[in-house]
Amino acid sequence: MMQFPNARIVLFAKAPEAGKVKTRLLPVVSAEEAAELYAELLKQTVEKMIRAKLAPLECWCSPDTSHPIFQSLVDDFGITLRLQQGADLGIRMERAAGETLTEVQSLVLIGGDCPALEPHHLSQAFGWLEGGVDAVVGPAEDGGYVLLGLKENSRLLFSDMPWGGNQVLRLTRERLQQLNWCSRELETLWDLDRPTDLERYRLLRE
């Protein structure tokens, strides 16, 4: 039994191909090691969220769903794969949110590269959304966010956003105010993007 059956976890993921994921780690690891690390993080994220039985989880894949890691997630955890569509990340996120919200009452959008993100963070976000909040943001230390919970969709939250930069969180806050939405924020977490994050991850895994 799911805790939030009328909600959905929308996990955005790239195929873990060498040179295409975790490129900011390349000064200290090889492209192949970075891809292996991304795949490891992705599988850990899926396993944590599936075991928590919060809400159905869908993995939205890029560039397609054919990579063996995606197929292994289906085999091991029975998740649904969906295809990201759009020219940039913002368009793909907006479309995923729009499609999902035609099927359920709320969603939480996450990535697969935040080792500090735990099921209780998602449970809090879903609880707030169920209680009347329009949006929930999980801030990241680097100025982005690791989680976005929504009951409604708006292009304003996703268009002309400098993805990967340190202004995403600030701009998202400003745009939520422009929409006059009631929003709440979780505690600030770190995701694994920079070489300094590798040591934190190793300590976390010990």
Side-chain angles (χ1 to χ4, degrees):
M1 177 73 76
M2 295 287 180
Q3 188 177 351
F4 301 98
N6 290 320
R8 191 160 297 156
I9 300 170
V10 175
L11 172 62
F12 256 49
K14 294 181 184 178
E17 299 173 355
K20 295 184 179 180
V21 292
K22 294 294 153 206
T23 53
R24 282 185 279 180
L25 299 177
L26 297 189
V28 294
V29 299
S30 69
E32 291 75 18
E33 288 170 333
E36 290 172 6
L37 176 62
Y38 182 83
E40 178 183 307
L41 291 167
L42 179 61
K43 186 169 183 179
Q44 287 173 10
T45 300
V46 170
E47 185 170 8
K48 276 196 293 191
M49 300 308 165
I50 290 293
R51 289 186 186 279
K53 296 182 179 179
L54 294 171
L57 184 150
E58 291 184 346
C59 185
W60 288 69
C61 309
S62 174
D64 54 51
T65 61
S66 65
H67 193 280
I69 187 67
F70 295 143
Q71 298 305 314
S72 73
L73 294 175
V74 174
D75 295 340
D76 294 344
F77 305 107
I79 68 170
T80 299
L81 301 181
R82 304 282 290 268
L83 180 64
Q84 295 181 32
Q85 295 182 314
D88 68 24
L89 179 60
I91 294 172
R92 296 195 294 270
M93 291 169 68
E94 181 198 345
R95 288 183 178 176
E99 286 185 36
T100 302
L101 288 172
T102 65
E103 302 167 3
V104 293
Q105 293 177 352
S106 63
L107 65 87
V108 166
L109 178 66
I110 62 173
D113 58 352
C114 180
L117 185 67
E118 296 291 342
H120 70 84
H121 295 113
L122 277 74
S123 180
Q124 179 69 82
F126 282 129
W128 282 340
L129 292 167
E130 200 173 72
V133 170
D134 298 311
V136 179
V137 179
E141 286 183 0
D142 63 5
Y145 56 74
V146 300
L147 176 154
L148 182 65
L150 297 171
K151 283 197 307 190
E152 298 181 59
N153 191 29
S154 173
R155 180 165 296 177
L156 186 63
L157 294 176
F158 303 109
S159 62
D160 298 318
M161 187 73 77
W163 302 107
N166 61 4
Q167 299 301 310
V168 172
L169 179 61
R170 179 184 64 80
L171 290 169
T172 300
R173 287 168 172 158
E174 289 178 359
R175 294 179 185 190
L176 285 169
Q177 288 185 332
Q178 290 175 41
L179 289 166
N180 201 29
W181 285 7
C182 174
S183 64
R184 295 193 67 170
E185 292 192 4
L186 297 164
E187 64 178 311
T188 300
L189 300 176
W190 61 278
D191 48 16
L192 210 167
D193 278 328
R194 301 157 295 186
T196 52
D197 298 325
L198 276 173
E199 185 60 31
R200 299 168 85 174
Y201 177 62
R202 288 168 182 148
L203 289 171
L204 189 69
R205 297 295 294 161
E206 287 180 356

